[in-house]
Amino acid sequence: MTADTTTEPAGLDGHLGTPALLLLTLSYMAPLVAMGGYVPVIIGYGLGAATPVVYAGVMAVMLVFAVGLMAMARHMTTPGAFYTYITAGLGRVAGLGAGFAALTGYVVTGAATYGLGGIVTGELVQGLFHGPSLPWWFWAIVLWAVVSTLTMFNIAVSARVLTICLAAEIAIVLLWDAQVLTHGGPAGYGLDLTAQLGTGSVGFALLFGIACLTGFESIQVFRAETREPNRTIPRATYLTVVILTGFWALGSYAYLVAYGTDAAIATAATPAESFLASLAQYAGTAVRDVANVLLVTSVVAAMLAVQNICARYSFALGRDHVLPPWLGVAHPRYKAPTRAAVVVALVIVVIIAVPALLRIDSTVAYVALQGIGLWVILVLMLATSVAITVFFRRNPDTELGVWRTTVAPMLAILGLGYAVLQATVNSDVMVGGSGVVAAWCIAAVVVVAAAGMVYATWLRTRRPQIWTRIGGVHGADVGPAPSVEPGTT
């Protein structure tokens, strides 16, 4: 398959460099939220004092996945990430199913983040500023209005906002790290890395460790808005994985030192409160209060990153006429997917309204939506690794070498396959409810993906002109026997 080099009549435009892409992907993970949410949970329910080592294993899995991803990216010229990769490797039927599933996964993740945003904003206004006690959904709508407006403009606007938010929260965490490592904890600095190996869960630790590194896989959706994408995107991808791994490994070690292994494990039941308490102890109450404010900006940054990704997935599907074509038209002035951003915003606000109207506990809704979003992303990463392997098996003459085209993707399949297995087995933990609730959530996503595949099959016989556009490879022979010219980018 020769990469499509046609120019879209009204395409996206931008000049994002490596720093801007790093900001977009690092913001997706929301460092303060993860430090107060994921890290203590991984310590408590995963492998305890061995958690810093867990991140090394996670980094290995993510890096081999990234190697295949970047090799494949040389042959992709349109935004779409999972959607375009899986189409190129496994065909249009699987690709459209993946596109629908990816959009669903990111949308529910975005909606989940608004639930969290409503909670932390309400607590900030009432607790720190002694403001009125208002329902979580009021603050969620306020944040939704701000974030949704920003997504309608050029991506550079979002990047500037993310710069401020991300720099502040990273500075807080690093300050806390430095204070802990300077003064030590109740047991000094030494950790017994084998303390919980007999009782902890390797699968759980790996699952939530990967959750801390998600986001970099979406960089490809910003391809059309990136300066020198064949150099910038790989650089930003690898840097994101390494920086995040180092950040979480250092943060988890500092957390273990601050509390001591046994006490740190016990704090898993109240992760956010425990992290903020440690901030107050080591960095002062003023820093803790600033962190409370930055928790809100951290959530806003994550919302902005996720909603921008959703808008570009919608844009890609509209560009290919799978969804209404007007979604795939960029704003003539801002060169942004403004129409797609509006539709995504409306869908997200409808999802936010459901738990509000049904009076479902906001924390329950947040955990369930976040969990199912993570499950979808893990499954799509696995499917993408399979697609990469198949693609290069059918196109051996790419001059990229066996490591990038075969060995790394196969290693990623093994690592991600184990993570997906653990995510499915522990789905009740992921969605914070019973096994029945988890099964229904997974079934709903499977139905969406199946609907996309059925729709693709229908397009093949009834709308062949649209069928050939699926995956952004217009008119190319996708699937059984594509051919790639050596060196094509």
Side-chain angles (χ1 to χ4, degrees):
M1 179 192 70
T2 303
D4 178 49
T5 56
T6 58
T7 303
E8 293 295 325
L12 305 178
D13 188 28
H15 303 283
L16 297 176
T18 301
L21 284 177
L22 275 173
L23 289 169
L24 285 165
T25 51
L26 293 175
S27 297
Y28 177 94
M29 198 53 253
L32 267 180
V33 175
M35 273 304 306
Y38 283 170
V39 171
V41 172
I42 297 172
I43 291 172
Y45 298 107
L47 294 179
T51 299
V53 180
V54 169
Y55 284 109
V58 169
M59 181 178 71
V61 174
M62 293 295 97
L63 282 178
V64 292
F65 172 68
V67 167
L69 200 67
M70 292 305 99
M72 187 81 157
R74 290 169 57 87
H75 305 278
M76 305 290 106
T77 60
T78 53
F82 291 135
Y83 168 51
T84 52
Y85 290 131
I86 293 174
T87 299
L90 302 180
R92 292 185 173 94
V93 172
L96 190 53
F100 278 25
L103 183 56
T104 301
Y106 284 117
V107 165
V108 298
T109 298
T113 310
Y114 279 104
L116 177 62
I119 297 170
V120 298
T121 304
E123 291 177 349
L124 175 68
V125 171
Q126 188 179 4
L128 188 60
F129 299 118
H130 308 292
S133 176
L134 296 171
W136 69 270
W137 52 261
F138 173 84
W139 298 113
I141 294 300
V142 172
L143 296 175
W144 170 83
V146 173
V147 171
S148 298
T149 300
L150 288 172
T151 61
M152 297 174 196
F153 296 94
N154 189 277
I155 192 65
V157 177
S158 295
R160 284 193 288 270
V161 174
L162 293 173
T163 299
I164 300 170
C165 296
L166 189 66
E169 57 183 297
I170 287 177
I172 287 286
V173 176
L174 291 180
L175 172 63
W176 172 75
D177 286 340
Q179 288 294 97
V180 171
L181 298 181
T182 298
H183 298 94
Y189 298 95
L191 296 176
D192 180 5
L193 297 182
T194 64
Q196 206 183 2
L197 290 181
T199 59
S201 169
V202 175
F204 186 93
L206 176 62
L207 172 61
F208 279 84
I210 289 176
C212 288
L213 266 68
T214 55
F216 76 90
E217 78 288 343
S218 64
I219 289 178
Q220 179 68 17
V221 301
F222 300 105
R223 183 181 183 88
E225 299 156 277
T226 300
R227 182 175 61 249
E228 299 183 50
N230 287 330
R231 295 178 58 188
T232 304
I233 289 177
R235 188 181 303 150
T237 298
Y238 294 128
L239 281 174
T240 298
V241 174
V242 173
I243 289 172
L244 280 178
T245 302
F247 189 81
W248 301 133
L250 178 62
S252 60
Y253 175 74
Y255 192 87
L256 285 158
V257 169
Y259 276 100
T261 300
D262 292 339
I265 291 171
T267 64
T270 55
E273 294 87 341
S274 299
F275 174 64
L276 290 173
S278 184
L279 269 178
Q281 178 185 350
Y282 283 92
T285 55
V287 173
R288 180 202 58 197
D289 291 341
V290 172
N292 268 311
V293 176
L294 291 178
L295 270 175
V296 176
T297 63
S298 180
V299 174
V300 168
M303 292 170 180
L304 198 51
V306 176
Q307 215 157 311
N308 271 309
I309 293 169
C310 293
R312 280 148 187 81
Y313 264 104
S314 300
F315 177 88
L317 292 166
R319 172 206 64 202
D320 297 340
H321 294 192
V322 173
L323 292 181
W326 52 267
L327 286 172
V329 178
H331 191 284
R333 178 181 176 184
Y334 302 123
K335 300 300 181 183
T338 302
R339 296 177 179 180
V342 170
V343 172
V344 166
L346 293 175
V347 172
I348 285 178
V349 80
V350 169
I351 298 175
I352 294 172
V354 172
L357 293 174
L358 297 179
R359 298 186 178 181
I360 298 173
D361 183 84
S362 55
T363 302
V364 172
Y366 162 68
V367 173
L369 291 172
Q370 187 75 19
I372 196 61
L374 172 60
W375 185 84
V376 172
I377 291 170
L378 286 174
V379 171
L380 288 172
M381 290 174 106
L382 174 60
T384 300
S385 295
V386 174
I388 292 168
T389 304
V390 172
F391 178 86
F392 286 114
R393 196 172 184 83
R394 290 171 175 160
N395 303 278
D397 301 324
T398 58
E399 299 181 354
L400 291 177
V402 69
W403 164 248
R404 286 194 280 179
T405 61
T406 304
V407 177
M410 289 299 296
L411 290 174
I413 289 172
L414 293 175
L416 291 168
Y418 180 68
V420 169
L421 174 64
Q422 290 297 323
T424 305
V425 171
N426 296 293
S427 57
D428 56 333
V429 176
M430 289 190 63
V431 303
S434 67
V436 174
V437 173
W440 276 106
C441 289
I442 291 175
V445 175
V446 172
V447 167
V448 170
M453 297 173 74
V454 170
Y455 180 37
T457 303
W458 182 82
L459 289 174
R460 179 166 51 189
T461 56
R462 301 297 183 89
R463 298 288 189 273
Q465 71 279 14
I466 297 178
W467 159 260
T468 59
R469 298 179 66 93
I470 293 176
V473 283
H474 307 168
D477 181 17
V478 178
S483 60
V484 177
E485 297 175 9
T488 300
T489 56

